[in-house]
Amino acid sequence: MNVVFYSTSSNVFSGGDVEIKYWPPRSLCLDRLAKKFPGHHFSVVANLPGHFLFDLKSGEINPPANLVTCRATDKVSAEDFAAEVLKENPDIAISATSWSPPFDWMGLKDSIVAEILEKSGVGTVCPSKSTQLICFDKKNTADFLRLNNFPCPPSVYVHHEYFWAERGNREIAVNNYKDFVLSEIQKMRYPVVIKDCVGLSSYGMEVAVSFAQAVHYLKNGRNVSDRLVEEYIDGLHFGTEIYGRNGKYKVMPPLLFSVNRYGITSPKLSVKMGPVVSDDFKIAGLKKMLVELATKIDLNGFAQVDLIFSGGQWFVVEINPRLSGMTETYAASMGMSVFDLMSETAFDSAPGFPEPKFVCNFKLPLLDDGLFEKISSLPWIGYLHQHKNLAAKQEREKGYCEAVAGGFDTAMELVQALDGTKKMFPEIFDGPVWEHILWAKKILNFGD
């Protein structure tokens, strides 16, 4: 069987200015996959940077795999990109959808490509266009959750164009839509979280502690798009992933997310730790609910779900039908690579993965080559990913490094590994990240 992993992109790629490194290298993971399934031929077709798929140096795939064909393409239309995939004569094509600021919309193009491939007789593992539209727009997600009786935060949608309808319309004396929306927002329980409806992760998210503050933000000149004003639920933040298709799904036990001082997850600081399996968190009920959710959206492939546990109840916050940092975390917790995970999901519509072992996903400052090699050589580091923009002027744009430690049978072993890493490399663990690790460890009673 010919299997193709593919991924499109909508963003400008700056070529030689971007360096992407993984441990284990993507080439090694692909070659291991080819040896694991000698009866299959694997290939990769992607727009650069090919997040999750390629190591990159000087704008080139480096190092290349020996047993798997990897091709970067500059084709941007769905039709042209699909034609590139078809050159590999695939029997099945698996979308490795990723994300990139400012919009979390890569899956929309990948689903169009899948539709074209299916018309050519190729089987696909990719969420459909209808699934993508439910999840891409946060208003659509909120409407879907409420319509299907999934617990979710109460929210009010603010249509930006209607909110400012008086602009350019001198005959409008009173904006009735604005008055209506603000009257609904005034009734909400505060604080509230104000989100860009099509934004990525927590970027651009604001917390308003009063009605006056919410009004000030919505009327601010920086607010230039549709918004979802959502009641903040005071509870613990978690995430999980769902794998499967054809109505058969595997829900992973959740991981705890640390939050920033505003009570929301921070892409640059948040720590993920788990798995959480205690009966105190009603995991069986959560899994049942998420299997129903995956069935309702007709999931075909992979989805990441953000959750809050409050007052003994689970609330669904977001659904992201794509790969995520959690995918690599779960893969590492099971001794797999992301390619293994995608392949197993494609080959078995109800993947029977082993239960994940104890892991912690945390952020590090950018590492030089020597330090990257030293940390990746630690036996408890299952995954290391560094994305560096050599041309960036501002510190926040220079990149990030993400690590996954663990794969242990006990939480105590995980805690000991994290403590040992901090002692060996105190200079990179000082500050907020270590505080987030200690907080997560305390909440989960790990090491006690």
Side-chain angles (χ1 to χ4, degrees), residues 398-432:
K398 290 183 180 179
Y400 61 90
C401 185
E402 180 180 31
V404 177
F408 295 109
D409 292 325
T410 67
M412 177 61 79
E413 290 174 292
L414 171 63
V415 170
Q416 290 173 344
L418 292 170
D419 288 342
T421 308
K422 185 178 186 298
K423 288 178 182 177
M424 284 185 278
F425 306 100
E427 69 279 9
I428 64 174
F429 270 109
D430 286 338

Side-chain angles (χ1 to χ4, degrees), residues 279-314:
D279 291 339
D280 294 342
F281 291 101
K282 303 180 179 179
I283 302 301
L286 172 66
K287 290 186 175 183
K288 181 180 179 181
M289 179 179 73
L290 293 183
V291 167
E292 182 183 354
L293 185 149
T295 303
K296 292 278 189 182
I297 64 172
D298 193 24
L299 179 64
N300 178 17
F302 335 100
Q304 185 265 337
V305 184
D306 288 335
L307 304 156
I308 295 175
F309 187 74
S310 177
Q313 182 178 11
W314 286 100

Side-chain angles (χ1 to χ4, degrees), residues 268-269 362-368 371-372 375 384-388 395 398-403 425-434:
K268 295 183 179 179
L269 286 177
F362 53 92
K363 307 299 188 299
L364 296 172
L366 288 172
L367 309 176
D368 60 35
L371 199 50
F372 186 96
I375 292 177
L384 198 59
H385 169 215
Q386 178 158 285
H387 189 116
K388 184 187 296 186
E395 196 64 32
K398 290 183 180 179
Y400 61 90
C401 185
E402 180 180 31
F425 306 100
E427 69 279 9
I428 64 174
F429 270 109
D430 286 338
V433 170
W434 187 249

Side-chain angles (χ1 to χ4, degrees), residues 81-348:
F81 187 95
E84 290 297 303
V85 175
L86 289 171
K87 288 179 181 178
E88 300 299 320
N89 298 314
D91 296 295
I92 189 166
I94 305 171
S95 68
T97 302
S98 64
W99 71 90
S100 188
F103 304 123
D104 199 353
W105 63 5
M106 301 301 189
L108 296 173
K109 177 69 72 61
D110 284 349
S111 67
I112 301 172
V113 171
E115 194 173 73
I116 296 170
L117 295 174
E118 286 168 359
K119 290 179 180 177
S120 298
V122 179
T124 64
V125 178
C126 177
S128 67
K129 289 191 295 186
S130 61
T131 303
Q132 297 286 1
L133 284 172
I134 289 171
C135 304
F136 160 63
D137 188 313
K138 293 178 177 61
K139 176 189 181 298
N140 291 347
T141 305
D143 290 344
F144 163 82
L145 292 172
R146 277 195 292 269
L147 179 64
N148 290 281
N149 298 313
F150 292 109
C152 63
S155 61
V156 174
Y157 169 60
V158 183
H159 188 291
H160 183 73
E161 186 176 352
Y162 297 162
F163 193 80
W164 292 111
E166 67 271 25
R167 292 176 175 175
N169 291 293
R170 288 180 293 177
E171 67 273 22
I172 295 178
V174 177
N175 185 329
N176 291 335
Y177 176 80
K178 183 181 294 184
D179 288 347
F180 166 76
V181 165
L182 293 180
S183 71
E184 293 299 301
I185 293 173
Q186 190 171 23
K187 299 173 189 175
M188 301 182 81
R189 185 184 63 184
Y190 284 81
V192 296
V193 179
I194 305 176
K195 302 177 177 180
D196 184 336
C197 285
V198 294
L200 173 68
S201 190
S202 300
Y203 294 108
M205 190 179 294
E206 296 286 337
V207 176
V209 298
S210 67
F211 174 63
Q213 192 173 350
V215 172
H216 176 76
Y217 176 79
L218 292 171
K219 291 185 175 181
N220 192 296
R222 293 179 301 162
N223 179 20
V224 295
S225 63
D226 294 355
R227 300 285 162 168
L228 194 70
V229 182
E230 185 177 273
E231 287 188 6
Y232 177 80
I233 296 179
D234 188 15
L236 295 173
H237 291 236
F238 294 83
T240 188
E241 290 201 324
I242 309 170
Y243 312 126
R245 54 200 180 94
N246 301 327
K248 299 177 181 179
Y249 301 104
K250 169 76 172 182
V251 177
M252 306 303 288
L255 304 177
L256 175 69
F257 289 2
S258 66
V259 297
N260 61 19
R261 61 193 177 96
Y262 301 108
I264 57 179
T265 57
S266 167
K268 295 183 179 179
L269 286 177
S270 183
V271 163
K272 305 174 182 68
M273 187 178 289
V276 179
V277 295
S278 169
D279 291 339
D280 294 342
F281 291 101
K282 303 180 179 179
I283 302 301
L286 172 66
K287 290 186 175 183
K288 181 180 179 181
M289 179 179 73
L290 293 183
V291 167
E292 182 183 354
L293 185 149
T295 303
K296 292 278 189 182
I297 64 172
D298 193 24
L299 179 64
N300 178 17
F302 335 100
Q304 185 265 337
V305 184
D306 288 335
L307 304 156
I308 295 175
F309 187 74
S310 177
Q313 182 178 11
W314 286 100
F315 293 85
V316 180
V317 180
E318 286 189 19
I319 313 166
N320 300 299
R322 54 164 170 76
L323 303 181
S324 74
M326 293 191 70
T327 317
E328 294 283 9
T329 306
Y330 280 123
S333 76
M334 297 183 287
M336 305 169 72
S337 74
V338 68
F339 297 107
D340 296 323
L341 192 153
M342 288 191 289
S343 299
E344 294 285 358
T345 302
F347 299 158
D348 185 347

